[in-house]
Amino acid sequence: MDDIRFYDFDFNLLNIENKASYINWTIKYNGIGTFEAHFPIKSKILKTALETDYLIAVQGENQAIITGKQANEKLVLYGRTPNWLLTKRVTPKFSKITGTPEEISRNIVEDAFSDVENFKTEKYENSFEKINFWRNVYNPTEKVVKECLDRIGAGHMVIADVKNKNWIYKMQMGKVRDLIISSTNKNAYNETYTEDFQDHVNGGWYESYAEDDSGSSQWMYIESDKEGIYKWIGVLGGQSESEAKDSLNSREWEKEISLETKDVKYKKDYFLGDTVKLKVCFGNFKTTISKKVKGVKMEYENGIYTENPIF
């Protein structure tokens, strides 16, 4: 188990700790991950943790901003991955922007942190189709970035660049892997297959507001690709076409496979955002579903390490 190194927001090293009895990292592809660590009450990190308001925890390549502390018979620290900082800025409403999701999201972050000299953005070198994107209300910057990148199935992260004393925002993009995870391949166990479509719709209406400040609106329709009894229509959330499509996508027919993996390693067999295949067999029922790796959960407890991808 790697030591946990603690820094302040000026990237000064404050403490190195290796006495944790429990550590839980959950990292996300296009969302905010979590951190939890338990230490003996006599741990040397106690004084630093309780007397320092702004702390960064770093273990290997995993990083978290400490957002909660609890001390009784032990010290427990809670945190969020550094892209949580994007929730601490607000992006005002804006009229239509045309550009790639990578360009738009990067510009939004640059505007939000324009007052922070050591907050940098890193360009993702690839070609993407341009989109039209706008927001009619003020939103946390993290929400705007996440929804923009969802348009191309991309993710994002913020890194504390300790060596160069910078914060760095960048987009990330997964790949399609040949990996098949299943009990028959002896790399999975405890499989469960579920379906849920009670909230599913395949088309719907949304209230679209004008891009100017007039406040006028009209109801718009997103056509269903089904006909007859199979056409299920709903009222969608959002105030623009892009937001309504996000709402529609959130009401997909859910087909899920949950399982625990064995001998499948993060950053060796798969990375965040990668698409892999999950295969299950129950009696005479067999199915294979392609799933994106949306996160990874890593736990250290009493010297034992386990990890599982989140789909």
Side-chain angles (χ1 to χ4, degrees), residues 189-194 255-260 280 282:
Y189 59 101
N190 288 345
E191 300 103 324
T192 301
Y193 176 83
T194 59
K255 297 181 180 181
E256 299 290 342
I257 296 174
S258 63
L259 46 74
E260 295 183 68
V280 294
F282 298 107

Side-chain angles (χ1 to χ4, degrees), residues 100-106 122-124 128 149 152 171:
T100 70
E102 190 276 337
E103 292 169 341
I104 294 172
S105 62
R106 183 161 39 85
E122 186 175 297
K123 185 176 182 180
Y124 190 96
F128 302 97
L149 294 177
I152 55 172
M171 193 190 88

Side-chain angles (χ1 to χ4, degrees), residues 3-60:
D3 294 341
I4 303 177
R5 305 171 74 89
F6 290 91
Y7 300 85
D8 61 21
F9 271 30
D10 292 318
F11 304 104
N12 298 308
L13 179 63
L14 303 180
N15 222 316
I16 301 175
E17 183 57 70
N18 57 13
K19 301 292 186 183
S21 60
Y22 174 79
I23 304 172
N24 184 317
W25 289 97
T26 300
I27 57 176
K28 300 287 185 69
Y29 174 58
N30 196 29
I32 300 168
T34 61
F35 166 76
E36 180 180 339
H38 299 189
F39 304 92
I41 198 63
K42 293 184 178 180
S43 169
K44 58 186 177 181
I45 189 58
L46 177 73
K47 179 178 173 63
T48 299
L50 298 185
E51 292 183 352
T52 308
D53 290 334
Y54 300 96
L55 273 179
I56 309 166
V58 178
Q59 185 182 35

Side-chain angles (χ1 to χ4, degrees), residues 248-276:
L248 181 61
N249 290 336
S250 72
R251 298 174 67 176
E252 290 180 338
W253 189 307
E254 296 181 4
K255 297 181 180 181
E256 299 290 342
I257 296 174
S258 63
L259 46 74
E260 295 183 68
T261 60
K262 181 174 64 175
D263 299 326
V264 178
K265 298 298 182 183
Y266 172 54
K267 292 197 171 180
K268 177 184 176 184
D269 301 303
Y270 68 93
F271 292 79
L272 282 176
D274 284 352
T275 299
V276 302

